PDB file of all heavy atoms in Angstrom:
ATOM      1  N   ALA A 230      -0.311  -9.163   4.717  1.00 96.00           N
ATOM      2  CA  ALA A 230       0.678  -9.523   3.688  1.00 96.00           C
ATOM      3  C   ALA A 230       0.123 -10.368   2.599  1.00 96.00           C
ATOM      4  O   ALA A 230       0.603 -10.333   1.484  1.00 96.00           O
ATOM      5  CB  ALA A 230       1.872 -10.224   4.387  1.00 96.00           C
ATOM      6  N   VAL A 231      -0.952 -11.110   2.882  1.00 95.00           N
ATOM      7  CA  VAL A 231      -1.606 -11.855   1.821  1.00 95.00           C
ATOM      8  C   VAL A 231      -2.200 -10.951   0.781  1.00 95.00           C
ATOM      9  O   VAL A 231      -2.171 -11.156  -0.420  1.00 95.00           O
ATOM     10  CB  VAL A 231      -2.677 -12.841   2.382  1.00 95.00           C
ATOM     11  CG1 VAL A 231      -3.421 -13.537   1.284  1.00 95.00           C
ATOM     12  CG2 VAL A 231      -2.041 -13.829   3.375  1.00 95.00           C
ATOM     13  N   LEU A 232      -2.804  -9.810   1.288  1.00 95.00           N
ATOM     14  CA  LEU A 232      -3.328  -8.804   0.395  1.00 95.00           C
ATOM     15  C   LEU A 232      -2.217  -8.227  -0.474  1.00 95.00           C
ATOM     16  O   LEU A 232      -2.415  -8.018  -1.670  1.00 95.00           O
ATOM     17  CB  LEU A 232      -4.025  -7.710   1.203  1.00 95.00           C
ATOM     18  CG  LEU A 232      -4.868  -6.706   0.439  1.00 95.00           C
ATOM     19  CD1 LEU A 232      -6.007  -7.398  -0.359  1.00 95.00           C
ATOM     20  CD2 LEU A 232      -5.491  -5.700   1.416  1.00 95.00           C
ATOM     21  N   LEU A 233      -1.071  -7.970   0.149  1.00 95.00           N
ATOM     22  CA  LEU A 233       0.110  -7.511  -0.641  1.00 95.00           C
ATOM     23  C   LEU A 233       0.518  -8.542  -1.628  1.00 95.00           C
ATOM     24  O   LEU A 233       0.855  -8.208  -2.798  1.00 95.00           O
ATOM     25  CB  LEU A 233       1.285  -7.228   0.303  1.00 95.00           C
ATOM     26  CG  LEU A 233       1.185  -5.976   1.228  1.00 95.00           C
ATOM     27  CD1 LEU A 233       2.324  -6.008   2.211  1.00 95.00           C
ATOM     28  CD2 LEU A 233       1.229  -4.718   0.388  1.00 95.00           C
ATOM     29  N   HIS A 234       0.425  -9.829  -1.263  1.00 94.00           N
ATOM     30  CA  HIS A 234       0.800 -10.902  -2.174  1.00 94.00           C
ATOM     31  C   HIS A 234      -0.079 -10.917  -3.395  1.00 94.00           C
ATOM     32  O   HIS A 234       0.352 -11.200  -4.532  1.00 94.00           O
ATOM     33  CB  HIS A 234       0.707 -12.219  -1.431  1.00 94.00           C
ATOM     34  CG  HIS A 234       1.163 -13.438  -2.242  1.00 94.00           C
ATOM     35  ND1 HIS A 234       2.435 -13.587  -2.724  1.00 94.00           N
ATOM     36  CD2 HIS A 234       0.447 -14.527  -2.602  1.00 94.00           C
ATOM     37  CE1 HIS A 234       2.510 -14.730  -3.399  1.00 94.00           C
ATOM     38  NE2 HIS A 234       1.326 -15.320  -3.352  1.00 94.00           N
ATOM     39  N   TYR A 235      -1.373 -10.561  -3.201  1.00 92.00           N
ATOM     40  CA  TYR A 235      -2.284 -10.521  -4.348  1.00 92.00           C
ATOM     41  C   TYR A 235      -1.952  -9.337  -5.294  1.00 92.00           C
ATOM     42  O   TYR A 235      -2.362  -9.347  -6.423  1.00 92.00           O
ATOM     43  CB  TYR A 235      -3.723 -10.338  -3.833  1.00 92.00           C
ATOM     44  CG  TYR A 235      -4.304 -11.555  -3.044  1.00 92.00           C
ATOM     45  CD1 TYR A 235      -5.453 -11.423  -2.338  1.00 92.00           C
ATOM     46  CD2 TYR A 235      -3.661 -12.764  -3.118  1.00 92.00           C
ATOM     47  CE1 TYR A 235      -5.981 -12.500  -1.651  1.00 92.00           C
ATOM     48  CE2 TYR A 235      -4.203 -13.879  -2.446  1.00 92.00           C
ATOM     49  CZ  TYR A 235      -5.347 -13.723  -1.682  1.00 92.00           C
ATOM     50  OH  TYR A 235      -5.853 -14.815  -1.004  1.00 92.00           O
ATOM     51  N   GLY A 236      -1.181  -8.412  -4.782  1.00 91.00           N
ATOM     52  CA  GLY A 236      -0.756  -7.272  -5.617  1.00 91.00           C
ATOM     53  C   GLY A 236       0.664  -7.435  -6.094  1.00 91.00           C
ATOM     54  O   GLY A 236       1.284  -6.440  -6.503  1.00 91.00           O
ATOM     55  N   ALA A 237       1.204  -8.643  -6.140  1.00 91.00           N
ATOM     56  CA  ALA A 237       2.613  -8.882  -6.500  1.00 91.00           C
ATOM     57  C   ALA A 237       2.925  -8.464  -7.926  1.00 91.00           C
ATOM     58  O   ALA A 237       4.112  -8.284  -8.250  1.00 91.00           O
ATOM     59  CB  ALA A 237       2.937 -10.347  -6.264  1.00 91.00           C
ATOM     60  N   GLU A 238       1.943  -8.348  -8.787  1.00 89.00           N
ATOM     61  CA  GLU A 238       2.222  -7.951 -10.166  1.00 89.00           C
ATOM     62  C   GLU A 238       2.647  -6.480 -10.263  1.00 89.00           C
ATOM     63  O   GLU A 238       3.239  -6.078 -11.255  1.00 89.00           O
ATOM     64  CB  GLU A 238       0.961  -8.150 -11.025  1.00 89.00           C
ATOM     65  CG  GLU A 238      -0.211  -7.285 -10.600  1.00 89.00           C
ATOM     66  CD  GLU A 238      -1.486  -7.819 -11.222  1.00 89.00           C
ATOM     67  OE1 GLU A 238      -1.818  -9.008 -11.030  1.00 89.00           O
ATOM     68  OE2 GLU A 238      -2.176  -6.999 -11.872  1.00 89.00           O
ATOM     69  N   HIS A 239       2.442  -5.692  -9.195  1.00 90.00           N
ATOM     70  CA  HIS A 239       2.952  -4.325  -9.174  1.00 90.00           C
ATOM     71  C   HIS A 239       4.416  -4.335  -8.840  1.00 90.00           C
ATOM     72  O   HIS A 239       4.824  -4.915  -7.814  1.00 90.00           O
ATOM     73  CB  HIS A 239       2.217  -3.494  -8.137  1.00 90.00           C
ATOM     74  CG  HIS A 239       0.737  -3.302  -8.438  1.00 90.00           C
ATOM     75  ND1 HIS A 239       0.313  -2.521  -9.487  1.00 90.00           N
ATOM     76  CD2 HIS A 239      -0.360  -3.723  -7.812  1.00 90.00           C
ATOM     77  CE1 HIS A 239      -1.026  -2.540  -9.544  1.00 90.00           C
ATOM     78  NE2 HIS A 239      -1.463  -3.276  -8.504  1.00 90.00           N
ATOM     79  N   TRP A 240       5.265  -3.692  -9.622  1.00 93.00           N
ATOM     80  CA  TRP A 240       6.703  -3.769  -9.431  1.00 93.00           C
ATOM     81  C   TRP A 240       7.135  -3.262  -8.082  1.00 93.00           C
ATOM     82  O   TRP A 240       8.107  -3.764  -7.531  1.00 93.00           O
ATOM     83  CB  TRP A 240       7.437  -2.992 -10.555  1.00 93.00           C
ATOM     84  CG  TRP A 240       7.194  -1.497 -10.485  1.00 93.00           C
ATOM     85  CD1 TRP A 240       6.227  -0.809 -11.119  1.00 93.00           C
ATOM     86  CD2 TRP A 240       7.980  -0.584  -9.768  1.00 93.00           C
ATOM     87  NE1 TRP A 240       6.344   0.558 -10.828  1.00 93.00           N
ATOM     88  CE2 TRP A 240       7.401   0.724 -10.014  1.00 93.00           C
ATOM     89  CE3 TRP A 240       9.085  -0.624  -8.920  1.00 93.00           C
ATOM     90  CZ2 TRP A 240       7.894   1.869  -9.400  1.00 93.00           C
ATOM     91  CZ3 TRP A 240       9.610   0.499  -8.345  1.00 93.00           C
ATOM     92  CH2 TRP A 240       9.003   1.772  -8.596  1.00 93.00           C
TER      93      TRP A 240
END
Side-chain angles (χ1 to χ4, degrees):
V231 177
L232 192 58
L233 288 172
H234 183 62
Y235 292 166
E238 62 197 54
H239 295 293
W240 67 269

